[in-house]
Amino acid sequence: MATTQLLPGTLLPWFEHHGRHDLPWQHPRTPYRVWLSEVMLQQTQVATVIPYFLRFLERFPDLAALAAAPADALMAHWAGLGYYARARNLQAAARACVQHHDGQLPRDLQALMALPGIGRSTAAAILSQAWGDRHAILDGNVKRVLTRVFGIEGHPGVPAVERALWQLAEQQLQAVPDGRMTDWTQAQMDFGATLCTRARPACALCPLQQQCIALRDGRVAELPTRKAGKTLPEREAHALLADDGQGRYALLRRPERGIWAGLWTLPQADTHAGLAQWTLTGLGADLEQADTLTTISHTFSHYRLQLHVYRLRCSSRQRIGETAAGWFDRIQLAALGLPAPIRKLIDSL
């Protein structure tokens, strides 16, 4: 690859004038804050992450506090960000650091990748931003930029295509001046997030337009190559909003695996009959006495859920026939991790 084709010489000056320099995890830029932001930004936009990051950091200011946090407190501060395995992996990694790395994130690519929830690109982003170490990243933004600028065919998730993209990403490092790795890492992410976007990229403002193969060939909308589409299956389930008329609600903790794992939510069953059976055995009540409240539509990564919700007034003196269950008022709810659509439903009542 010729030096003229390398991107840092163009993107670094662009970043100085148009990049994001005031994100909360940049001041101060510590390994813990960088790691937390990188995990939160997976599958989630910056504007959404910022308030969660600030609240999370106030409650868990350092790695030791995160490692020692009760599960309910952790999930309560993550609820609404989605992809809840990220939160569980964060805490598992924090505990591993306390146990094996003197309570610090290790400054080593392989050691970081050995921690739960940290892949190659996330580990590289931590090292390059927190310490200025020379490592290439390959997140979704970088993949999109490289496939367009260099005209790379094929879905980036295909191993052969991903290997080619990693090679391109590594080659860019030779043009990054000493002391500019933090800026180079952020420049790539900012450029992909603000100009070379997935939809309606601002090609007229792009500093790379003279060397972008996708723009030259009129293929910007085609690259990166999309994964073969498939229709998400639809599933139905039934849930019970049981309240005692005094602001207390019956909740169960979900299992540690599956959807909404580890969160507190409404009693739920795949069928109306299944929910009726739980209502009888769990509350000693009759689901036929319940009112139809609403249907919640929620999309997970692999299916769409239509959750039919019924409302039933019961006495909170009734002990729920489950171990991980209880009656909770609104003050207590604030300290629990609830799925965003369930919290929104309760708040609307």
Side-chain angles (χ1 to χ4, degrees), residues 218-226:
R219 303 191 62 219
V220 173
E222 300 174 25
L223 296 176
T225 305
R226 290 173 175 79

Side-chain angles (χ1 to χ4, degrees), residues 294 296-297 330 338-349:
T294 188
I296 297 174
S297 297
R330 289 184 179 273
L338 271 69
I342 303 303
R343 187 176 293 280
K344 183 178 179 181
L345 172 66
I346 293 175
D347 287 346
S348 72
L349 298 175

Side-chain angles (χ1 to χ4, degrees), residues 150-341:
F150 296 101
I152 305 298
E153 301 275 358
H155 178 60
V158 174
V161 178
E162 189 171 39
R163 284 194 297 271
L165 293 174
W166 270 115
Q167 184 178 14
L168 281 171
E170 296 280 358
Q171 287 174 331
Q172 305 309 307
L173 297 182
Q174 62 185 283
V176 179
D178 290 341
R180 298 298 304 276
M181 271 307 304
T182 296
D183 289 343
W184 170 238
T185 300
Q186 190 67 47
Q188 296 173 88
M189 295 188 287
D190 287 359
F191 179 70
T194 62
L195 280 190
C196 195
T197 53
R198 182 180 290 108
R200 296 187 296 277
C203 295
L205 303 176
C206 178
L208 300 175
Q209 57 183 277
Q210 297 301 318
Q211 62 194 98
C212 179
I213 293 176
L215 182 61
R216 182 197 69 189
D217 296 345
R219 303 191 62 219
V220 173
E222 300 174 25
L223 296 176
T225 305
R226 290 173 175 79
K227 186 177 182 179
K230 62 177 182 179
T231 303
L232 287 177
E234 297 269 354
R235 295 186 186 177
E236 289 190 301
H238 302 259
L240 178 65
L241 182 71
D243 73 87
D244 68 350
Q246 299 178 33
R248 285 184 288 265
Y249 301 91
L251 298 177
L252 308 182
R253 189 199 292 273
R254 296 283 301 177
E256 290 301 317
R257 294 183 179 275
I259 64 167
W260 294 331
L263 299 183
W264 290 86
T265 189
L266 305 179
Q268 181 177 319
D270 292 338
T271 64
H272 186 277
L275 186 63
Q277 181 63 38
W278 183 90
T279 305
L280 180 62
T281 58
L283 291 176
D286 184 359
L287 186 61
E288 293 302 317
Q289 303 301 314
D291 297 320
T292 299
L293 181 59
T294 188
T295 296
I296 297 174
S297 297
H298 188 73
T299 302
F300 295 95
S301 59
H302 50 295
Y303 68 90
R304 287 191 187 89
L305 177 66
Q306 301 295 323
L307 184 63
H308 307 294
V309 183
Y310 309 90
R311 186 171 188 176
L312 180 65
R313 184 152 294 172
C314 301
S315 171
S316 59
R317 294 190 298 272
Q318 171 67 42
R319 186 174 183 276
I320 304 174
E322 298 268 357
T323 52
W327 292 91
F328 300 92
D329 60 29
R330 289 184 179 273
I331 294 176
Q332 293 169 315
L333 288 177
L336 298 180
L338 271 69

Side-chain angles (χ1 to χ4, degrees), residues 59-97:
R59 175 61 177 81
F60 313 112
D62 52 35
L63 194 145
L66 175 58
D72 282 337
L74 172 67
M75 300 313 290
H77 283 74
W78 195 273
L81 270 179
Y83 300 95
Y84 295 97
R86 293 183 296 173
R88 293 189 294 275
N89 284 333
L90 266 175
Q91 186 169 61
R95 289 172 174 171
C97 288

Side-chain angles (χ1 to χ4, degrees), residues 8-75:
T10 303
L11 286 188
L12 282 172
W14 172 87
F15 172 72
E16 291 170 5
H17 294 94
H18 304 288
R20 296 179 286 200
H21 302 277
D22 296 310
L23 297 172
W25 42 88
Q26 296 173 333
H27 308 286
R29 199 190 300 266
T30 67
Y32 176 70
R33 292 164 69 96
V34 168
W35 168 49
L36 177 58
S37 69
E38 284 297 317
V39 173
M40 285 188 168
L41 287 166
Q42 294 167 1
Q43 310 287 338
T44 313
Q45 295 183 343
V46 167
T48 301
V49 164
I50 287 175
Y52 279 92
F53 176 85
L54 294 173
R55 287 194 297 268
F56 197 95
L57 199 65
E58 184 177 359
R59 175 61 177 81
F60 313 112
D62 52 35
L63 194 145
L66 175 58
D72 282 337
L74 172 67
M75 300 313 290

